[in-house]
Amino acid sequence: VPSRRTPASTPRSVKFLRHGIFFASALTIVTAADEAPRPAEPLGHIGEVRALSREEAARRLPVRVRGVVTWRGFRDQMTVQDETGGSWILVAEARQRGIWTTDEAALKSIRVGHLLEIEGITEPGAYASGILPKTLRIVGEGILPRARPMDPARFFSGAEANLRVEVRGVVQGYQPAENGWTLHLDGNPGRFTVEFPKTALPDPEPLVDAEVRVTGVAVTRVNTRGEITMPRVYSSRSEELVVEAAATPPFSARLMPLDR
């Protein structure tokens, strides 16, 4: 007997199934929208930048920090420090990559002690993560962070990188550096270098064989694998160099018999 069900009729279970499929699809769309990735919040402290792995810093994460300028180089180089850490502000690299948007005249006015507001992105750096700045804005005068006394275990391992430190040593020699001088010091038990601009240190010759105390920013000399080979200190002001024991003239020691 032919069926009396019309072709247009549909079993109730099929109708429910279709409604169920539609509901599930709608639910999927809403859930996917809710879980869409949101822009990362800017890192607000320098310590967060320094804590990044090289892989994380290479993702160019956004940064918005405030810090005091602790060193200022003559080629737009500078370091800043807040209560959580210190960092390079890589102006030249940011300019080369088209990231830099700050007025050049404003850049020239920045000096040690200024409190800066910095917006930019992270950069792995040669040894530790740094900041590629988009904008630098002077927001006032800051207080220079207290310089950490030299701890040989930390200083010679690079743990103090980009922080203000106070180091001591005997000046063994010097050589010209870009726009200044590089002093070679023996800190007993290790050797390191200190760099000063000529405006802060016109003549290094009288310092040879003197015991000195230097306040500045700890930086590192590294090899191609990013491993520290020697610590350095960058200082930019004459008052940050103190002679604690003046050098003695050559052959000034009292003559002694050879058998003594």
Side-chain angles (χ1 to χ4, degrees):
V1 178
S3 172
R4 295 186 179 183
R5 180 179 297 168
T6 61
S9 64
T10 305
R12 184 183 300 271
S13 60
V14 176
K15 289 183 179 180
F16 285 142
L17 180 60
R18 287 178 179 173
H19 289 313
I21 292 173
F22 174 78
F23 177 75
S25 299
L27 181 61
T28 302
I29 293 172
V30 172
T31 304
D34 287 345
E35 295 180 354
R38 299 174 182 175
E41 288 293 322
L43 301 176
H45 295 93
I46 294 175
E48 295 177 273
V49 177
R50 287 296 310 273
L52 296 174
S53 67
R54 295 185 63 83
E55 293 75 17
E56 290 171 327
R59 292 167 50 198
R60 306 290 189 257
L61 301 176
V63 177
R64 184 185 297 120
V65 298
R66 284 193 176 193
V68 178
V69 179
T70 51
W71 175 78
R72 186 76 164 84
F74 75 101
R75 286 196 308 167
D76 302 332
Q77 301 166 311
M78 69 183 75
T79 57
V80 298
Q81 185 173 332
D82 66 7
E83 66 276 10
T84 65
S87 176
W88 281 98
I89 305 302
L90 306 167
V91 176
E93 291 85 344
R95 189 185 289 116
Q96 291 171 359
R97 300 184 189 184
I99 299 170
W100 175 254
T101 60
T102 301
D103 178 72
E104 293 293 334
L107 173 65
K108 300 298 182 185
S109 65
I110 296 174
R111 56 175 172 77
V112 172
H114 272 154
L115 178 63
L116 297 185
E117 185 175 81
I118 304 157
E119 291 194 38
I121 57 177
T122 58
E123 160 67 23
Y127 181 72
S129 301
I131 299 173
L132 292 170
K134 294 180 180 179
T135 61
L136 297 177
R137 187 167 67 91
I138 301 172
V139 295
E141 292 287 338
I143 299 175
L144 284 173
R146 177 179 174 273
R148 297 187 179 191
M150 183 176 179
D151 179 341
R154 291 182 56 84
F155 179 65
F156 287 102
S157 69
E160 305 284 26
N162 304 329
L163 298 175
R164 289 190 81 232
V165 295
E166 183 182 79
V167 296
R168 286 177 166 80
V170 175
V171 180
Q172 296 185 318
Y174 63 90
Q175 67 186 72
E178 195 170 19
N179 201 47
W181 301 102
T182 296
L183 305 180
H184 295 264
L185 276 71
D186 182 358
N188 189 18
R191 298 180 69 249
F192 60 97
T193 60
V194 174
E195 293 193 16
F196 275 97
K198 288 183 179 179
T199 54
L201 181 61
D203 182 15
E205 178 63 30
L207 295 178
V208 176
D209 203 35
E211 295 181 22
V212 299
R213 172 166 47 89
V214 178
T215 302
V217 177
V219 295
T220 55
R221 190 185 303 277
V222 298
N223 59 23
T224 56
R225 296 186 297 274
E227 299 165 341
I228 183 171
T229 58
M230 179 180 286
R232 296 185 286 178
V233 174
Y234 282 177
S235 189
S236 54
R237 302 185 300 171
S238 58
E239 59 266 31
E240 293 179 326
L241 173 64
V242 178
V243 176
E244 297 198 315
T248 55
F251 307 110
S252 62
R254 183 167 60 92
L255 293 176
M256 298 289 288
L258 291 179
D259 62 356
R260 296 188 187 180

